């Protein structure tokens, strides 16, 4: 079964309190989503392979280590875009793909409307990002697209995970580790995470 990592870091707890508050406005919400994405990416990259490189410091020659895999960041549109810059600040050479999905409000099933991935995506370690893992339908479908394109290493990052989504991903994609800033207890009758933070896309983009 895949790993579920849920952060207990004090910085993330503090920022999650701000994200959850309905008093937090669009500008601040968007900034904090980016910050939490950076902190989570730091945790999720801990086990990436390293290679040795020769470096000449101003004082002496030495051997250093650098990440030994090509990376891609793939946000699930649209809310995943809110996490992308925070991650690219740390790995500016990563390529970016986009998968467009929205959740049908009645069936809660994902509807695909866009998919554009780096040409060599199958050679990359892909960080799939979406703030919310609720029923898991969107992430499940997005991982399916990546696998159909030949991607072998996928890591899923979300801000909030719910049990239904975690269970679905662990059942359908036991090879994909999940990193979450927080894990909430349940979904309500509309498929929203409780207590959650509301509609991530609307809060990032100010559409409601
Ligand atoms: C939200 C969220 C996820 C999805 C999670 O997107 O950003 O993509 O719901 O729910 P699930 O786990 O039940 O699939 P939404 O469909 O609202 O689209 P948006 O990003 O365009 O707002
Ligand atoms: N999508 C959201 O944006 N929020 C939820 O709570 C569930 C799905």
């Amino acid at each position: 079964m895949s790993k579920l990592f849920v952060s207990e870091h004090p910085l993330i707890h503090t920022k999650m309190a701000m994200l959850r508050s309905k008093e937090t406005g669009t500008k601040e919400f968007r900034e904090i989503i980016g910050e939490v994405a950076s902190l989570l990416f730091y945790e999720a990259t801990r086990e990436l392979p390293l290679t040795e490189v020769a470096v000449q410091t101003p004082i002496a020659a030495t051997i250093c280590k650098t990440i030994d895999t090509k990376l891609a960041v793939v946000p699930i549109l649209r809310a995943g875009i809110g996490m992308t810059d925070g991650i690219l600040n740390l790995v500016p050479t990563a390529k970016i793909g986009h998968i467009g999905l929205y959740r049908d409000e009645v069936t809660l099933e994902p509807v695909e409307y866009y998919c554009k991935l780096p040409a060599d995506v199958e050679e990359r370690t892909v960080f799939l990002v979406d703030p919310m893992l609720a029923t898991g339908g969107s992430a499940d479908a997005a991982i399916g697209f990546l696998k159909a394109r030949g991607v072998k290493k996928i890591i899923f990052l979300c801000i909030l995970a719910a049990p239904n989504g975690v269970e679905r991903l662990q059942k359908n994609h036991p090879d994909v580790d999940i990193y979450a800033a927080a894990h909430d207890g349940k979904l309500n009758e509309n498929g929203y995470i409780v207590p959650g933070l509301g509609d991530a896309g609307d809060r990032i983009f100010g559409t409601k």
Side-chain angles (χ1 to χ4, degrees):
M1 192 198 288
S2 66
K3 172 168 72 183
L4 169 65
F5 172 93
V6 180
S7 177
E8 287 297 341
H9 198 290
L11 278 174
I12 290 193
H13 273 295
T14 304
K15 290 177 190 298
M16 286 306 301
M18 295 157 87
L19 282 181
R20 288 182 189 278
S21 169
K22 67 177 188 181
E23 307 302 333
T24 302
T26 300
K27 176 176 181 288
E28 202 183 357
F29 188 89
R30 194 164 49 226
E31 287 168 358
I32 299 168
I33 286 277
E35 290 167 359
V36 175
S38 292
L39 293 168
L40 207 52
F41 185 70
Y42 174 81
E43 298 287 2
T45 47
R46 205 175 271 281
E47 289 168 22
L48 287 183
L50 291 167
T51 188
E52 292 190 340
V53 290
V55 169
Q56 179 71 47
T57 79
I59 309 299
T62 189
I63 300 296
C64 297
K65 292 178 182 173
T66 60
I67 293 172
D68 190 28
T69 174
K70 293 195 285 185
L71 303 177
V73 182
V74 177
I76 299 177
L77 306 181
R78 76 194 149 136
I81 290 175
M83 297 175 69
T84 307
D85 279 353
I87 293 173
L88 291 176
N89 286 340
L90 298 179
V91 286
T93 59
K95 300 276 194 221
I96 307 158
H98 294 90
I99 295 177
L101 292 171
Y102 70 86
R103 211 167 62 142
D104 183 279
E105 286 182 6
V106 177
T107 65
L108 301 183
E109 284 304 310
V111 181
E112 179 201 350
Y113 61 89
Y114 191 76
C115 185
K116 183 80 177 173
L117 300 169
D120 61 351
V121 71
E122 73 281 357
E123 297 169 16
R124 294 177 178 269
T125 298
V126 173
F127 288 86
L128 179 68
V129 303
D130 189 329
M132 309 305 271
L133 179 64
T135 66
S138 304
D140 187 3
I143 293 168
F145 293 151
L146 293 171
K147 287 186 174 175
R149 277 287 301 271
V151 179
K152 287 171 272 310
K153 182 68 184 166
I154 304 168
I155 299 166
F156 180 69
L157 266 60
C158 61
I159 304 290
L160 262 185
N164 315 47
V166 170
E167 202 176 299
R168 182 163 174 169
L169 288 198
Q170 288 186 326
K171 177 166 171 279
N172 294 348
H173 303 287
D175 52 330
V176 176
D177 286 340
I178 303 166
Y179 284 77
H183 186 235
D184 280 5
K186 60 176 183 178
L187 301 181
N188 69 14
E189 60 283 5
N190 299 317
Y192 277 85
I193 299 176
V194 180
L197 51 72
D199 188 304
D202 283 338
R203 295 197 66 188
I204 290 168
F205 297 109
T207 39
K208 259 187 197 154

